[in-house]
Amino acid sequence: MTHRTDEALKGPARTARPARTARTAVPAAPVPRHRSGWTPWLYLLPALVVLGALLVYPIYQLGLISLLEYTQAQVSGGEPTSFQGLGNYAALFSDPQFWQVLLATVLFAAACVVATLTVGCALAVLLTRVRAVPRLVLMLAALGAWATPAVTGSTVWVFLFDPDHGPVNRLLGLGDFSWTYGRHSAFALVLLEVVWCSFPFVMVTVYAGVKAIPAEVLEAAALDGASQWRIWRSVTAPMLRPILVVVTIQSIIWDFKVFTQIYVMTNGGGIAGQNLVLNVYAYQKAFASSQYSLGSAIGVVMLLILLGVTLVYLRLLRRQGEEL
C-alpha cells in the first residue's frame, strides 16, 4: 500500500508539470513622432506670440523707419514717404556729434557697470558676515531703492544735491556749488543715482550665489590660511562666474541705454548737450527735431552694439569652458 501510494503521488506530480512555452515580446505601440516634436512648441506658442507682438514687430518697424525719409511732413501726410536705404546711417556716421555722444555713452556705461558690480558684490559679501537683524535692514533698504521708479529717484537726487536747498552741499560745505553745471560733475551725479538704483539686483543675485556655495569649500580655504580677499578671488568668484556673467551683461544693457536719469537730472542732456548719451540723443533727434528716421537709425545702432557685446561675452565664456 505504501509503495502504490508513493507511485500515485509521484505520478501526478510528473504529469501535472506544464510544458514551458517561449515568451514572445509584445512590441510597444510606436509613439507618433509628430506629437513628440510639436508638443513643446504648442506649449511655447502663447509666449512666442506675446514676444512677437512686443519685441519682434517693434524692432521690425524700427529698422524699417530707419531706411525711410520719415519726418513731420511724412507723419502729417504733407509729403510722401521715400526710401532712403542707408542714407540715414551715412548722415548719422558723418555727424561728429554722434561719435562724441557714442564715446561718452560707452565711458559712462562702463563706469556705471564697474561701480554697480563693485558695490553689489561688496554688499553681498557683507550680508554673509552680519547677523540676521542688520542683514534684514540692509536687504529692505536695498529693495526699497530697487523698487523706486527712475523718475522719482532722479528727482530726489536732484533735490539732495540742489545748490540752494540741498542738504548734501550744506553737509560738505560746498555752498552754492551746482553739480549739474559742469560736465563731469553732472555725469558723476547721474552715476551715483544709477548705482543706487542698480546695485540691489547685483547684491541679491550674488548673495544667493554665495549662499549656494558649500560651506566646506570656504572653510577648507580658510584653514589653509587664505585671506578673505584671496578666498573671494580664488574660490568664490570662479564658482560665481556664471552668475557674474549674467549680472554683468544685464548691467551693460541697462546702463548703456540709460535715459530717465540723464534726462531728468541734467534737464534733457545738460548745458549745450554736454551730457548727452545715445538714448537721449535719439530722443532729441526723433521728437525734438522731428527726424524720426535718424532717431530710429540711432536705435538700430544701439541694438546692434548691445547684441555684439552680449555675443562676444558669451563666446569668450564658452572658450574658457564655462557653461551658463
Side-chain angles (χ1 to χ4, degrees):
M1 291 292 296
T2 304
H3 179 69
R4 288 182 179 180
T5 303
D6 293 339
E7 291 293 333
L9 291 175
K10 292 179 181 179
R14 283 194 293 265
T15 58
R17 181 177 299 174
R20 294 183 179 181
T21 59
R23 295 182 179 180
T24 58
V26 179
V31 179
R33 291 188 176 183
H34 66 278
R35 290 186 180 180
S36 60
W38 287 100
T39 300
W41 291 103
L42 292 177
Y43 285 109
L44 292 174
L45 183 60
L48 293 177
V49 172
V50 174
L51 288 177
L54 298 179
L55 186 63
V56 177
Y57 182 73
I59 292 177
Y60 163 75
Q61 287 292 331
L62 184 71
L64 178 62
I65 294 175
S66 68
L67 301 176
L68 304 175
E69 183 183 0
Y70 201 72
T71 61
Q72 187 61 38
Q74 282 75 27
V75 173
S76 60
E79 296 181 6
T81 302
S82 60
F83 183 75
Q84 297 293 319
L86 299 179
N88 293 319
Y89 294 95
L92 184 66
F93 294 152
S94 61
D95 186 3
Q97 187 181 15
F98 168 75
W99 296 105
Q100 296 174 3
V101 174
L102 177 60
L103 178 61
T105 305
V106 171
L107 295 178
F108 176 74
C112 289
V113 170
V114 172
T116 302
L117 292 178
T118 302
V119 175
C121 292
L123 292 178
V125 175
L126 178 64
L127 287 177
T128 62
R129 301 281 188 258
V130 298
R131 296 181 180 273
V133 175
R135 180 167 61 249
L136 179 61
V137 172
L138 180 57
M139 290 282 286
L140 292 177
L143 293 178
W146 193 13
T148 303
V151 175
T152 305
S154 302
T155 305
V156 171
W157 275 76
V158 169
F159 168 75
L160 292 176
F161 288 85
D162 185 77
D164 298 324
H165 308 287
V168 175
N169 282 10
R170 296 180 183 180
L171 292 176
L172 299 178
L174 297 178
D176 58 350
F177 175 75
S178 177
W179 290 82
T180 57
Y181 183 79
R183 184 176 188 231
H184 296 92
S185 60
F187 270 129
L189 181 61
V190 178
L191 183 145
L192 292 176
E193 202 279 335
V194 171
V195 173
W196 175 75
C197 66
S198 301
F199 84 86
F201 170 74
V202 179
M203 182 190 73
V204 173
T205 307
V206 175
Y207 173 72
V210 172
K211 295 298 291 183
I213 297 177
E216 296 80 5
V217 177
L218 302 178
E219 292 176 359
L223 291 176
D224 290 339
S227 61
Q228 295 297 327
W229 167 247
R230 184 61 183 273
I231 293 175
W232 166 261
R233 184 170 62 88
S234 302
V235 179
T236 308
M239 298 184 71
L240 293 177
R241 184 170 296 175
I243 295 178
L244 293 176
V245 169
V246 172
V247 297
T248 300
I249 293 175
Q250 292 189 353
S251 297
I252 291 174
I253 294 174
W254 290 343
D255 296 338
F256 193 83
K257 59 186 185 68
V258 165
F259 173 81
T260 304
Q261 291 86 345
I262 290 286
Y263 192 83
V264 172
M265 300 179 70
T266 64
N267 196 18
I271 300 174
Q274 63 181 0
N275 296 112
L276 284 177
V277 292
L278 281 180
N279 244 351
V280 181
Y281 185 58
Y283 176 84
Q284 288 189 352
K285 287 293 185 182
F287 297 101
S289 302
S290 298
Q291 297 177 342
Y292 303 104
S293 54
L294 283 179
S296 300
I298 298 172
V300 172
V301 171
M302 291 182 58
L303 176 64
L304 294 177
I305 291 175
L306 292 177
L307 285 177
V309 170
T310 304
L311 293 177
V312 169
Y313 209 117
L314 292 177
R315 187 172 181 179
L316 292 176
L317 186 69
R318 291 190 178 276
R319 283 184 179 178
Q320 296 175 359
E322 297 291 338
E323 293 292 337
L324 292 178

